[in-house]
Amino acid sequence: MSRKDKTPKISQKNQEQKKTPTTQVGEQTQLLDSLKAAARRSGFYLQRSVQEGKLSDSIKQAGEMLNGLRSSSLSPKNYYDLYLFVSDELRYFGLLLRESIKKEPIASIIYRDVQFTSRIIPRLYLLITAGAVVIENNPKKTREILLDLLEMCKGVPHPTRGLFLRHYLSQMTKDLLPDISESEKGSKNGNEKEIEKEIEKEPKNQKSNENENKNEKKNENKNVKIKKEESKTENNKNLQGNENEDKKNNVLPWMISINFTIQNLIEMNKLWIRIQHQKLPGNISKLERVSSRIKLTEERKDLCSLVGTNLVRLSQLDSVTLEVYKERVLPILLEQIEQCGDKIAQSYLTEAIILVFPDEYHIHTLPDLFSILPNLHQEVNIKNIIILLIERLINFANNNPKSIENTFLITQIFSKGISSITRKRTSLPRIHLLSILNGLMKLSLCLHPQRIDFINHMLSSCVKSIAIQKKLTKDEINEILSILSTPLDFYNDLNILVQLENYSMLIDTLPNENRRIISLKFLENGLNTLTIVSSPKKVSKLLEITKVLFLDSKDSISENEEDENLKSLFFREQYTVCRFIHLLRSENIAKSFKILQIIADTFSSGGTRRIKITIPPLVFSALQLANGIRQLEKEKKKILNNNNKENKDHDNLEDIGLSAKKIFEFIHKIMTSLTKLLPLKSLKLFLQCALASDKCNFEPIAYEFMTKAILVYNDHLKDPKTQYQMINYISSTLQTLRAFHPDNYSLLCNQCGGYSAKLNIAPHQVRAIVTCSYLFLSIIKQPLNIAYKEIKEKIEIQDEKNKNKKIVKVEKVKKIIEYKRPSNEPVLLYFIDVKRLLGCISRAIRVAGSLMEPSLLFELLIEILNTCLYFFELDSGAVNSSFINTLLDLILQKKSENESNWKQLLTKPIYNFYYLTFKHIKLCKKNKETKRLFKPIKIEKILKDFLK
Amino acid sequence: MVLILLIGDIHIPQRSFGIPEQFKKLLVPGKIKHVLCTGNLTSKESLEYLKTLASEVHVVKGNFDDENLNFPETKTIQLENFKFGLCHGHQIVPWGDQKSLQVLQRKMDVDILVTGHTHEFTAFQLENKLFINPGTVTGAYSGFNDEIEPSFVLMDVKGSKIITYVYQLKDGDVSVEKITYTKPSEND
């Protein structure tokens, strides 16, 4: 149980103190200074008398010193200042009393002597000082003196003077209050029960009580008398009741402490409130009157801790156990708060109670606390109180996990309490209600995170609170954003978030830009936590929640908006959307496909500016899925081949009726709109689809995609550089494809060759044609061993169906040879057409030869030479040694033709390229494995030329 | 000692949601001096990320990079005693072919040729030249390679010696392999 030592301060301090007219301030300062000077003077004499041990002198001096506190002209703040000074000086008087009482037991004499001080304020201060010393010396007198002093303080009804006097009383007695001792603690429970009974019995009528209790005095404190010097005021009912009980229960001296403190608190609170209603001087203007009131209120707020000290005191008493607090302390405090009707006091005391008493106590008294809230002054900030309580409880729950037993009950009390507040307090601002609901949501998440229904209910309450009224303010929007972030940040799991049915409803209440902020945060949460959402239903809900990112709405920012910030925000959003969809997938193929369809449906309504960005990643997701299906089918075949039908861990593709073909149909569909919008991107995507469908061995589909790519090339690409890059890309893609029947492959090769030959810029043409030459010597070796196995498998499978097919195929590809590489790994040539290959090379040489610029001609010839060496080194028979020799001669010849400007024209990189190629040939001639092959290649002339 | 990061085929957001967390933890700013990126960043955010890792970022254009980004098709970079050649690799026929890569190496006249595109880490030496493909750092899908593991390469260059560290993500664990390469002295 933690007990706060610090006196709570009023939470909302008004920093800006209104200026009072300077004259008034000046007067105040003057007055304070003179009173302080007088007190300092008396204080000096007091100290001297104390040093000399003159008791009666010091009583006189102390009385003098205290005279300043009789002032009613000082502002509360200045009075506080003087009070601090005087009460500090009074310590010396206390010291002397303590000394005197040791010499002779004159406690009561001093007590009485002091009373001869004629003025009431000094007298009471001195009495309190003396009283404390007496108690200290003789604890048996505690009850008598405490009650006596409490009564006497009633003699000062002036708010400021009374308040400080009582504070002094509280300060002087703080260490003297009887408390339950360690040894008593064990038997406390028994005592508590006793009290409970007593409380139940306690009659309202005081007189009958007194009579009833008369005979029951048994203990040593029999002789205690209650002094009733001054008439009882109407407000002493409580104390009276307690007195009676005290008489009866002498075993429980600590009860006095509680009653004393509560009583003092109540009285101080009343005085404190009355400061507010003090009369102002009559001779000031209206404006001054207003500012004076404001200043008074501020100064009064500053005095709150005087009252609060009593609460701290109570919380420090060990005797204030949960039971005592619940039955004896809190009800009285709450009653006082409710009755006092003052907004400052109500706010302060309620918050102070929450702050000073242990959270455990609050948990057990929540309904009591909540019962008064609706009835507090309309201007009391209920939100602050509830939020404070929630924060305390969350903190407690976090520090003491599992210590709260009935968590549901707590949330329920809060829910009920809040709804009763909203019913009764019509002035509760919407923003406050939203903050309270946000707090409640946090509490619910802390106490029982598994109860998503609670959160959902609170979201619904938020929606309801918004539905009624007008446009949201900026603060309200921020609060709603915070409410929406609360469960998001807590769960960090979109799979849970999508179960909140009302989440999207609350988002919908926000303006467009805020919907976008929270939706983006939603997706980013998924990306940060890498939460995979694998259920199609959940994906649907997720897209519904964040729909502002996918779809235009009535309040969307218009498309023609030229604002750069808006544009970059839009791109950032779409970038996140694209990344995010890769998290939406399932281990189950059918579910994954369903998810893709859901996404596609949403995307397709997003308008062109979104489609351009969002469709490509969707295509790749689909391709990945097709890849997954293919792998699965491969595994299935393996299993069938092994007759191992027990293994059923994987999806049964026949059951779900899904083949990779469907995926390609799907891609085809979603790409329809893209071709015109983004021809270049579409072309690349079609090639990707061709690659994927080729891997699935879907020849017609792969063919279709290749044709589509070529069609886009033909219809949409106009820029020469792009044309060149893309035809190269088409050719090199085609070069890797394996599913085609050689006839179809051949047809596509023709198209590539045709478009390459049509390129407008000669070097582009040469290089594109050179690329095409590779199409006619297609080699599978990526990686070598796997490729080899795959092609074997393919042939074997075909064998089972039709034994002749293998032969046909082998004939068609003209030649399949196995070629031993240095690593002894087999390489398969898939398709070889020597005539067309050489046709490409010859054409490339011819076009290059027509170029007027020698350096470019040489560069291209050396590139062609390298390509030829590539084919030659494969020993495929496509390019033979004499072809290489001819080409080398041609290069030398072209060089000598331009000998005059050779050095000028041949820039260094081309020269190096030529030299390195020559070096490579030289190396191959030396190398063991290639020695034989390269023997016929003649390099002597080149060597001679280099040496020149 | 110079630390060089070889990285590429990032493909965010088209093919991947991001670089694996295990890699991000390793790739901390301040240690790497040069980044050699083989291309296909496919977003300016990826480029911004690379720029957080080192001040010197060299990028070549991949087949899926935006035309507006204006990366070169090839780039040569001299680092310590080595001349690096950088190229995405989709321009080479057949894709990833060792002999074709060798032609490019000769054309660019480099000691080390760094290429990407195949989404598969490879490193080999031919005629005393080093060929490295750092693979794809995100493990992005590829149309012609099935078993893709995210990977990147760190090179520690010191004089004429290079120690290459290959980081690969296998079943959620990062594996590191070390390859040492020394540049042969030129004497012919």
Side-chain angles (χ1 to χ4, degrees), chain B residues 118-134:
Chain B
T118 61
H119 293 209
E120 184 188 17
F121 163 77
T122 44
F124 59 91
Q125 284 184 46
L126 273 178
E127 294 174 17
N128 284 327
K129 305 295 174 193
L130 184 61
F131 297 81
I132 290 211
N133 182 332

Side-chain angles (χ1 to χ4, degrees), chain A residues 425-467:
Chain A
R425 292 176 73 92
T426 45
S427 64
L428 184 73
R430 185 165 65 178
I431 176 81
H432 285 191
L433 178 58
L434 288 171
S435 303
I436 291 171
L437 287 168
N438 195 3
L440 183 57
M441 197 185 277
K442 284 175 184 157
L443 182 69
S444 175
L445 286 170
C446 167
L447 294 177
H448 29 70
Q450 73 284 6
R451 291 302 295 261
I452 297 161
D453 53 328
F454 282 18
I455 306 299
N456 205 31
H457 181 74
M458 289 164 211
L459 288 169
S460 149
S461 301
C462 294
V463 174
K464 274 180 206 154
S465 79
I466 294 159

Side-chain angles (χ1 to χ4, degrees), chain A residues 527-528 530 532 568 571-572 574-575 578-580 582-583 585 613 616-618 620-621 623-624 627 630-631 634 680-681 684-685 688 691-692 695 721-722 725-726 728-729 731-733 735-736 767 770-771 774 777 779 781-783 786 790 821 859 863 866-867 869-870 873-874 909 912-913 915-917 919-920 922-924, chain B residues 10-22 24 40-46 49 61-67 70-71 73 83 88-110 117-118 120 122 126-129 139-148 186-188:
Chain A
L527 284 163
N528 291 338
L530 297 183
I532 305 289
S568 84
F571 282 115
R572 203 184 123 213
Q574 297 307 310
Y575 170 76
C578 292
R579 282 176 68 206
F580 183 74
H582 298 293
L583 296 175
R585 57 185 147 90
I613 305 170
L618 191 60
F620 278 109
S621 282
L623 287 175
Q624 218 160 342
N627 199 32
R630 179 171 60 83
Q631 308 264 28
K634 219 158 101 190
L680 191 58
K681 191 71 146 265
K684 291 174 185 175
L685 290 175
Q688 289 294 320
L691 279 166
K695 282 216 145 191
K721 195 180 158 203
T722 313
Q725 284 173 345
M726 284 306 116
N728 254 343
Y729 187 42
S731 303
S732 54
T733 302
Q735 198 271 341
T736 70
R767 286 176 174 135
V770 169
T771 301
Y774 289 87
L777 190 98
I779 302 155
K781 54 185 186 58
Q782 294 293 338
I786 292 172
E790 271 186 2
R821 284 226 140 179
E859 189 176 345
E863 279 176 24
N866 273 283
T867 299
L869 282 170
Y870 175 91
E873 282 173 50
L874 287 175
N912 282 349
F913 188 23
Y915 174 71
L916 290 173
T917 309
K919 230 175 104 181
H920 171 69
K922 231 176 86 184
L923 255 163
C924 288
Chain B
I10 302 170
H11 287 291
I12 303 171
Q14 280 80 17
R15 306 191 197 183
S16 168
F17 53 79
I19 294 172
E21 284 303 310
Q22 295 95 322
K24 275 191 178 170
N40 274 347
L41 305 98
T42 70
S43 61
K44 66 175 194 315
E45 283 84 354
S46 300
Y49 172 72
K61 194 170 129 189
N63 50 334
F64 275 87
D65 278 320
D66 198 328
E67 303 297 319
N70 257 336
F71 299 135
E73 297 277 330
K83 194 174 169 190
H88 177 251
H90 67 275
Q91 307 92 330
I92 297 160
V93 245
W95 291 339
D97 186 283
Q98 296 193 354
K99 293 224 165 274
S100 297
L101 287 170
Q102 224 186 338
V103 175
L104 181 65
Q105 176 268 320
R106 289 197 286 266
K107 191 178 177 191
M108 292 179 78
D109 186 18
V110 291
H117 187 55
T118 61
E120 184 188 17
T122 44
L126 273 178
E127 294 174 17
N128 284 327
K129 305 295 174 193
Y141 162 87
S142 158
F144 77 136
N145 190 355
D146 278 350
E147 277 138 51
I148 296 166
E186 305 264 342
N187 43 8
D188 59 325

Side-chain angles (χ1 to χ4, degrees), chain A residues 764-822:
Chain A
H764 285 170
Q765 214 186 98
V766 173
R767 286 176 174 135
I769 292 168
V770 169
T771 301
C772 284
S773 69
Y774 289 87
L775 291 171
F776 304 109
L777 190 98
S778 194
I779 302 155
I780 302 164
K781 54 185 186 58
Q782 294 293 338
L784 297 171
N785 48 352
I786 292 172
Y788 178 62
K789 216 170 84 195
E790 271 186 2
I791 199 96
K792 276 269 168 107
E793 271 173 14
K794 198 150 83 183
I795 293 167
E796 275 164 20
I797 292 155
Q798 285 166 344
D799 271 353
E800 279 165 27
K801 289 180 193 161
N802 180 1
K803 295 224 175 210
N804 295 330
K805 209 169 179 181
K806 184 184 173 186
I807 303 154
V808 172
K809 183 146 188 165
V810 172
E811 274 177 359
K812 279 278 181 187
V813 297
K814 290 184 182 166
K815 201 175 175 186
I816 289 184
I817 50 163
E818 272 192 22
Y819 166 75
K820 299 276 177 190
R821 284 226 140 179

Side-chain angles (χ1 to χ4, degrees), chain A residues 717-764:
Chain A
L717 302 192
K718 300 287 173 252
D719 169 58
K721 195 180 158 203
T722 313
Q723 281 182 334
Y724 161 63
Q725 284 173 345
M726 284 306 116
I727 196 64
N728 254 343
Y729 187 42
I730 294 171
S731 303
S732 54
T733 302
L734 177 60
Q735 198 271 341
T736 70
L737 303 185
R738 301 286 174 265
F740 292 122
H741 185 278
D743 288 348
N744 290 331
Y745 181 76
S746 196
L747 276 170
L748 291 169
C749 289
N750 287 345
Q751 299 227 43
C752 288
Y755 283 112
S756 298
K758 273 189 218 159
L759 290 171
N760 286 328
I761 297 166
H764 285 170

Side-chain angles (χ1 to χ4, degrees), chain A residues 411-424:
Chain A
T411 324
Q412 259 169 19
I413 294 167
F414 268 93
S415 282
K416 276 185 193 161
I418 291 164
S419 56
S420 122
I421 287 166
T422 49
R423 254 197 330 273
K424 289 185 189 168

Side-chain angles (χ1 to χ4, degrees), chain A residues 128-282:
Chain A
I128 291 166
T129 318
V133 175
V134 174
I135 294 173
E136 203 180 290
N137 200 248
N138 184 4
K140 284 179 187 171
K141 283 191 173 287
T142 308
R143 178 208 313 254
E144 180 194 346
I145 291 168
L146 286 182
L147 296 180
D148 196 10
L149 292 172
L150 208 51
E151 276 304 304
M152 285 193 290
C153 283
K154 286 180 181 162
V156 184
H158 184 274
T160 316
R161 288 186 300 238
L163 182 63
F164 281 96
L165 180 68
R166 284 181 179 274
H167 181 252
Y168 187 68
L169 172 63
S170 159
Q171 285 301 105
M172 293 310 286
T173 54
K174 66 175 176 187
D175 299 322
L176 307 171
L177 297 176
D179 199 1
I180 196 161
S181 65
E182 285 302 315
S183 57
E184 279 172 303
K185 264 189 183 171
S187 59
K188 205 165 71 177
N189 289 338
N191 284 342
E192 275 164 21
K193 271 176 198 159
E194 221 172 288
I195 300 161
E196 270 174 59
K197 278 180 207 159
E198 289 309 321
I199 290 162
E200 278 164 28
K201 271 195 259 171
E202 190 180 338
K204 294 267 146 91
N205 191 320
Q206 167 219 332
K207 275 188 180 171
S208 63
N209 204 4
E210 247 175 327
N211 297 333
E212 196 184 294
N213 292 333
K214 258 180 188 169
N215 303 324
E216 291 183 53
K217 298 178 206 163
K218 282 173 191 171
N219 276 353
E220 66 236 313
N221 284 354
K222 274 178 207 165
N223 52 350
V224 170
K225 276 186 211 161
I226 310 295
K227 289 196 176 186
K228 287 165 191 165
E229 283 199 350
E230 293 169 39
S231 65
K232 282 181 182 117
T233 60
E234 69 286 354
N235 280 321
N236 60 2
K237 196 178 81 188
N238 256 320
L239 194 68
Q240 286 297 304
N242 298 340
E243 269 174 44
N244 297 327
E245 200 184 44
D246 291 337
K247 282 179 206 161
K248 184 185 67 179
N249 295 305
N250 281 331
V251 276
L252 306 168
W254 49 266
M255 289 297 299
I256 305 160
S257 309
I258 297 173
N259 294 334
F260 168 78
T261 315
I262 293 177
Q263 195 55 38
N264 200 31
L265 167 74
I266 291 171
E267 293 303 327
M268 281 176 84
N269 187 40
K270 283 176 186 161
L271 293 164
W272 183 45
I273 294 166
R274 274 172 47 209
I275 290 180
Q276 186 83 52
H277 308 291
Q278 266 175 330
K279 272 187 190 164
L280 291 168

Side-chain angles (χ1 to χ4, degrees), chain A residues 505-523:
Chain A
M505 268 163 68
L506 188 56
I507 288 189
D508 290 347
T509 64
L510 292 167
N512 180 281
E513 57 172 324
N514 304 104
R515 294 208 303 278
R516 289 166 74 175
I517 290 170
I518 192 73
S519 299
L520 194 62
K521 197 175 168 192
F522 206 84
L523 300 192

